Amino acid sequence: MTKNFLLLAGTAVLVAGCAAPLPVGERPKIAASDLDQLVAVSKRDFKARGIAGMDRLELDAAMRACNLHNDNPPREVSQPLEEQILKSIPFPQGSLLGDWKRGQRLAQSGQGMTWSDKPNIANGGSCYNCHQLSPQEESFGTLGTSLRNFGKIRGTSEAIQRYTYGKIYNSKAYNLCSQMPRMGHSKTLNEQQIKDLTAYLLDPNSPVNK
Ligand code: HEC
């Protein structure tokens, strides 16, 4: 009897674990003290390994605000943080369009950032893990919006180049709780690589715009 009950209870937990997540507005909010405790427990239980250091557990102001507001902070919280992040992006002088062919290879590569990777290996951008980009690519993730014809639709003006470069450098400057990795801010990609990706998205000859 007791054994059966335990088995049933176990199943219930499993089923609850598999349930679809609640929509953003309906999730219970986490209290600041509980968030601090969660971070403390993570820091206690996780160990640095290879290139994956404990710094990955640090919550910066943006992540903290998003955690406390279920990824949907009020405008008075998100706006000043987004402005601050935008100001911190080191936009290079001159053209932001690099080589789209190199950008394509970066967009397709998911290499890097795992604990077993050697330090200083060239990281990829993993863009296809979340975005549709060129028609040739049959397999892509859909967490991010489709970027098919991104340059054809948006054009290549200075403002669009700047937005594209900035979005790749630090997506949170434009959408505080964006799920997109902050490629430049996290030093995953360097200035030239971000320019190459900007060209891949905007260049009229890039397959993205064909
Ligand atoms: C983990 C998933 C993920 C990865 C990996 C990712 N993105 Fe995103 N990206 C998103 C999401 C989600 C959005 C939409 C929400 C937002 O605006 O932040 C987005 C938005 C964008 C936008 C803005 C689109 C618009 O219509 O204004 C651009 C540009 C972009 N991503 C480029 C890239 C590039 C280039 C890469 C590879 C270096 C990349 N993304 C990698 C998730 C991702």
Side-chain angles (χ1 to χ4, degrees):
M1 175 69 188
T2 323
K3 203 173 154 201
N4 274 349
F5 172 74
L6 280 178
L7 264 174
L8 264 177
T11 318
V13 169
L14 246 176
V15 170
C18 297
L22 286 168
V24 169
E26 292 169 31
R27 283 182 230 155
K29 276 195 181 177
I30 187 169
S33 55
D34 289 342
L35 181 60
D36 291 339
Q37 209 186 334
L38 201 67
V39 173
V41 169
S42 311
K43 286 185 178 170
R44 188 195 65 196
D45 292 350
F46 279 85
K47 301 276 172 284
R49 201 165 174 193
I51 62 162
M54 295 297 281
D55 54 316
R56 294 191 184 183
L57 295 177
E58 293 300 336
L59 291 187
D60 61 21
M63 290 156 90
R64 205 179 157 76
C66 293
N67 275 304
L68 291 176
H69 294 278
N70 271 339
D71 282 349
N72 195 15
R75 206 67 204 120
E76 64 267 24
V77 172
S78 60
Q79 197 168 10
L81 285 168
E82 286 174 0
E83 279 169 11
Q84 202 183 316
I85 297 168
L86 188 59
K87 276 198 209 121
S88 76
I89 299 178
F91 285 98
Q93 296 292 313
S95 170
L96 297 175
L97 298 178
D99 175 343
W100 70 257
K101 288 186 183 147
R102 283 200 308 242
Q104 180 169 41
R105 285 195 290 276
L106 282 169
Q108 289 167 337
S109 164
Q111 177 171 277
M113 303 302 286
T114 46
W115 67 267
S116 52
D117 285 321
K118 302 244 172 324
N120 305 325
I121 65 159
N123 295 316
S126 286
C127 314
Y128 277 100
N129 276 337
C130 296
H131 294 286
Q132 179 184 32
L133 286 145
S134 82
Q136 286 88 345
E137 205 72 37
E138 285 171 9
S139 160
F140 51 85
T142 52
L143 182 66
T145 41
S146 170
L147 299 175
R148 279 282 301 127
N149 291 319
F150 188 74
K152 216 185 219 174
I153 298 164
R154 309 284 179 98
T156 54
S157 67
E158 209 178 299
I160 289 296
Q161 287 184 34
R162 225 179 134 77
Y163 165 64
T164 309
Y165 184 97
K167 184 76 190 173
I168 303 170
Y169 190 97
N170 193 337
S171 53
K172 288 182 175 295
Y174 308 89
N175 174 6
L176 193 71
C177 302
S178 174
Q179 292 172 298
M180 177 166 153
R182 295 172 280 180
M183 305 290 177
H185 173 77
S186 63
K187 300 197 165 49
T188 306
L189 300 177
N190 62 32
E191 182 182 305
Q192 187 57 51
Q193 291 174 310
I194 299 176
K195 280 184 181 178
D196 293 341
L197 282 161
T198 303
Y200 182 50
L201 292 186
L202 297 180
D203 195 308
N205 296 315
S206 157
V208 170
N209 301 311
K210 294 278 183 199

